[in-house]
Amino acid sequence: MRYFLQFSYNGAAYHGWQYQPNAISVQEVLEAAFTVLMPCKVSLTAAGRTDAGVHARQMFAHFEVLNVFDIKNMIYRLNALLPDDIAVQQIIPVGHDAHARFSATARTYEYWVTQEKNPFYINYAHYIRHKLDFEKMNDAAALLLNYKDFKCFSKSNTDVSTYLCDIKMAKWSRQKDVFVFTIKADRFLRNMVRAIVGTLLDVGVGKSSLEDVKAIINSKDRSKAGTSVPAKALYLNEISYPNTIL
């Protein structure tokens, strides 16, 4: 039987989602909890990777087991075993062809920026001292929807077959005392969101223009784009699936 696991985590203490040889990962901790509770090994296939320090408000992974178990009780017992920075919300029976990664139709990320020094955001938002022009940053964000090839925002030496992504939304908004960049696409390249935000911040401080952003994207050269912003302010917010799966 195949199941989808819905969970969330604060990524500050972890070296990303995926197993790492010399560092702790969210996958390692979750699979270890399953090992205690299940008579068989449980391998989790996630909807995607998150880099070290990145948070996930909503993440999905699928797994398969032969034995029947009480879902409500399993969620309770997993949360009792897991550390406070990882929480399981749902375990959902799905069809055998449902895949946490390949069945997903879109992912949505948020990046938080604050313009005021606030000790309570020190691990959750990126503090920028210089005044930012969010109107120009929104104009620059809107340009992203006109392109498909985002090699310029991809981590160098990444083993991917294509740099094409369909960005469905990219905008800045203010939520109380935090400025939030929201971006939704069918897929993301490694380090893509953090590189995009860095590039938009260059526009916000007047270092780059809208024409510069167009030139950066057309160059397909990572060195032309802005510096990657810190991982601590990046959140995987939502993963979308067809109604036939969830």
Side-chain angles (χ1 to χ4, degrees), residues 103-131:
S103 296
T105 57
R107 286 95 171 157
T108 304
Y109 280 89
E110 284 186 358
Y111 195 87
W112 289 15
V113 169
T114 179
Q115 289 264 258
E116 298 178 8
K117 187 176 181 181
N118 186 329
F120 295 103
Y121 285 139
I122 191 169
N123 294 317
Y124 303 104
H126 184 31
Y127 172 43
I128 302 291
R129 294 175 176 83
H130 302 291
K131 183 175 175 58

Side-chain angles (χ1 to χ4, degrees), residues 9-17 50-56 123 230-234:
Y9 53 87
N10 181 322
Y14 302 99
H15 202 76
W17 156 256
T50 53
D51 291 336
V54 175
H55 316 293
N123 294 317
K232 66 179 182 179
L234 181 59

Side-chain angles (χ1 to χ4, degrees), residues 50-64:
T50 53
D51 291 336
V54 175
H55 316 293
R57 289 199 182 91
Q58 184 183 74
M59 175 65 100
F60 286 94
H62 74 253
F63 65 95
E64 289 187 345

Side-chain angles (χ1 to χ4, degrees), residues 203-215:
V203 174
V205 298
K207 181 179 178 182
S208 299
S209 67
L210 298 185
E211 291 303 315
D212 290 332
V213 174
K214 295 176 185 177

Side-chain angles (χ1 to χ4, degrees), residues 32-239:
F34 270 107
T35 298
V36 174
L37 301 175
M38 286 285 197
C40 59
K41 177 177 173 56
V42 172
S43 297
L44 297 171
T45 300
R49 301 176 183 178
T50 53
D51 291 336
V54 175
H55 316 293
R57 289 199 182 91
Q58 184 183 74
M59 175 65 100
F60 286 94
H62 74 253
F63 65 95
E64 289 187 345
V65 291
L66 295 176
N67 54 300
V68 178
F69 60 91
D70 183 310
I71 290 178
K72 186 176 180 180
N73 184 52
M74 180 60 68
I75 293 172
Y76 174 82
R77 295 173 71 191
L78 280 169
N79 281 323
L81 276 176
L82 290 166
D84 291 341
D85 51 12
I86 302 176
V88 172
Q89 285 84 40
Q90 294 188 82
I91 298 177
I92 308 160
V94 294
H96 187 72
D97 59 345
H99 195 286
R101 179 183 174 190
F102 297 125
S103 296
T105 57
R107 286 95 171 157
T108 304
Y109 280 89
E110 284 186 358
Y111 195 87
W112 289 15
V113 169
T114 179
Q115 289 264 258
E116 298 178 8
K117 187 176 181 181
N118 186 329
F120 295 103
Y121 285 139
I122 191 169
N123 294 317
Y124 303 104
H126 184 31
Y127 172 43
I128 302 291
R129 294 175 176 83
H130 302 291
K131 183 175 175 58
L132 295 169
D133 187 331
F134 282 93
E135 184 176 346
K136 285 185 179 178
M137 288 163 62
N138 254 330
D139 291 340
L143 294 175
L144 298 172
L145 277 66
N146 300 326
Y147 296 86
K148 298 295 182 185
D149 190 323
F150 295 102
K151 184 176 181 180
C152 68
F153 298 128
S154 175
K155 189 176 180 69
S156 302
N157 302 317
T158 300
D159 183 21
V160 294
S161 58
T162 177
Y163 294 95
L164 301 181
C165 305
D166 181 15
I167 296 180
K168 306 172 188 296
M169 176 179 65
K171 66 178 183 179
W172 288 91
S173 61
R174 182 161 189 169
Q175 299 179 17
K176 296 183 179 180
D177 53 348
V178 177
F179 293 93
V180 179
F181 176 63
T182 305
I183 184 166
K184 181 178 182 178
D186 62 338
R187 64 190 291 265
F188 288 92
L189 306 168
R190 284 196 66 191
N191 204 53
M192 178 174 166
V193 180
R194 292 163 61 195
I196 286 175
V197 173
T199 303
L200 297 180
L201 289 175
D202 284 346
V203 174
V205 298
K207 181 179 178 182
S208 299
S209 67
L210 298 185
E211 291 303 315
D212 290 332
V213 174
K214 295 176 185 177
I216 289 167
I217 298 173
N218 288 322
S219 76
K220 301 181 182 181
D221 185 346
R222 176 65 187 91
S223 67
K224 304 290 185 184
T227 302
S228 291
V229 288
K232 66 179 182 179
L234 181 59
Y235 303 81
L236 174 56
N237 226 35
E238 183 181 8
I239 302 173

